[in-house]
Amino acid sequence: EDQVTQSPEALRLQEGESSSLNCSYTVSGLRGLFWYRQDPGKGPEFLFTLYSAGEEKEKERLKATLTKKESFLHITAPKPEDSATYLCAVRSNDYKLSFGAGTTVTVRA
Amino acid sequence: DSGVTQTPKHLITATGQRVTLRCSPRSGDLSVYWYQQSLDQGLQFLIQYYNGEERAKGNILERFSAQQFPDLHSELNLSSLELGDSALYFCASSVEGGETQYFGPGTRLLVL
C-alpha cells in the first residue's frame, strides 16, 4: 500500500524566513508526485507535479524537488498569503492519489 | 477557480437519511474522482469514473455509490447516513486517468 508521510505537521514562520517541508513516500512504481495547497474549507489547489528523481519545479516563492524517497517543498522569503496547508500526494500504477496528512504553514507579518 | 463545480456547498441532514452530491468536471476532462476529507483521516480516495465507466475504487463504503452520466457529470450517493459520515466531500477531474487532478470547492456534509 502506498504511504505518504509529511513533516513537520505545523510550521510557524516569520515573514521572509525561508524553510522547507518534507514529504517521504513509499510507492510501488511512482507515476507522479503532486503538491497541492489547501486553504481552510476550500478544495486543494494544484501546485506541482514531479515525475522523476532530480526533477525540480518552481512557482513564485515555491520550489519543489524530488528524490527517490522524498520530496521537498521550499518556501523562499514567505509572505502571510503563503499561509495554508500544503499537501503531498503520490500516484502509483493505479489511478488514485494517496495523500499525506499535510503541513500547515503559518506566516506572521 | 479550477473549473470543477460541486453542488450543494453545504448539506445538513439527519442520521439514516440519503443525500446526493453533484459534480461537473472541467470542460474536456473525462475522469472524475471522489474524495472524502475528515479531520481525523485527511483526504481519502473513494472512487474514480472514466468516460462513464468505473475505473478505480478506494475506501468507499457499501452505503455509498457513484455514477458518471453521458454528459460526464457525476453524482455521489450517500445512504443510511451516520454521524461519522460528516466530512468535506471533494470531486476532482483530469483529462484522462492519472494526470494532474483539479479539485472542486467541495460539499460540506453535516449529519446530525
Side-chain angles (χ1 to χ4, degrees):
Chain A
E1 187 176 318
D2 302 342
Q3 287 204 332
V4 182
T5 303
Q6 292 188 246
S7 62
E9 286 185 19
L11 193 58
R12 293 177 65 86
L13 301 172
Q14 200 66 35
E15 185 172 3
E17 178 189 0
S18 301
S19 188
S20 295
L21 285 55
N22 177 265
C23 170
S24 61
Y25 62 90
T26 54
V27 63
S28 55
L30 181 69
R31 299 290 294 274
L33 184 140
F34 303 81
W35 282 99
Y36 287 84
R37 168 196 169 122
Q38 187 175 26
D39 294 304
K42 304 270 183 79
E45 175 190 342
F46 170 71
L47 294 174
F48 304 109
T49 308
L50 302 167
Y51 291 103
S52 56
E55 192 174 356
E56 298 182 352
K57 294 264 178 81
E58 273 188 83
K59 179 182 178 181
E60 294 180 357
R61 296 176 292 282
L62 301 177
K63 179 179 175 180
T65 61
L66 181 64
T67 72
K68 286 188 178 179
K69 292 186 177 181
E70 57 191 351
S71 176
F72 292 93
L73 184 66
H74 309 278
I75 309 179
T76 302
K79 298 183 178 182
E81 53 262 42
D82 295 321
S83 298
T85 295
Y86 291 86
L87 299 169
C88 172
V90 296
R91 186 176 82 84
S92 58
N93 293 322
D94 58 22
Y95 296 96
K96 67 180 180 73
L97 289 179
S98 298
F99 279 87
T103 294
T104 299
V105 174
T106 305
V107 182
R108 295 165 292 176
Chain B
D1 184 359
S2 66
V4 178
T5 60
Q6 290 186 246
T7 56
K9 277 189 174 179
H10 304 277
L11 204 46
I12 302 175
T13 188
T15 54
Q17 295 298 304
R18 181 180 190 274
V19 297
T20 298
L21 313 184
R22 182 187 168 105
C23 168
S24 293
R26 296 186 317 157
S27 176
D29 285 0
L30 298 179
S31 272
V32 170
Y33 311 77
W34 285 98
Y35 291 85
Q36 180 192 56
Q37 187 175 41
S38 55
L39 283 174
D40 58 345
Q41 291 249 323
L43 262 169
Q44 299 288 319
F45 169 74
L46 296 177
I47 197 164
Q48 181 209 355
Y49 278 82
Y50 173 73
N51 204 21
E53 301 288 328
E54 182 185 305
R55 174 165 272 187
K57 231 172 183 176
N59 303 321
I60 188 166
L61 300 171
E62 284 192 13
R63 301 184 284 110
F64 296 0
S65 64
Q67 54 184 327
Q68 186 178 27
F69 295 87
D71 68 353
L72 300 177
H73 91 270
S74 178
E75 292 181 357
L76 179 68
N77 300 297
L78 315 176
S79 61
S80 303
L81 284 167
E82 302 175 358
L83 296 177
D85 297 327
S86 296
L88 270 166
Y89 290 85
F90 290 106
C91 166
S93 72
S94 68
V95 175
E96 291 188 24
E99 289 82 9
T100 300
Q101 297 177 24
Y102 294 88
F103 283 75
T107 293
R108 183 177 294 278
L109 174 67
L110 181 59
V111 182
L112 300 176

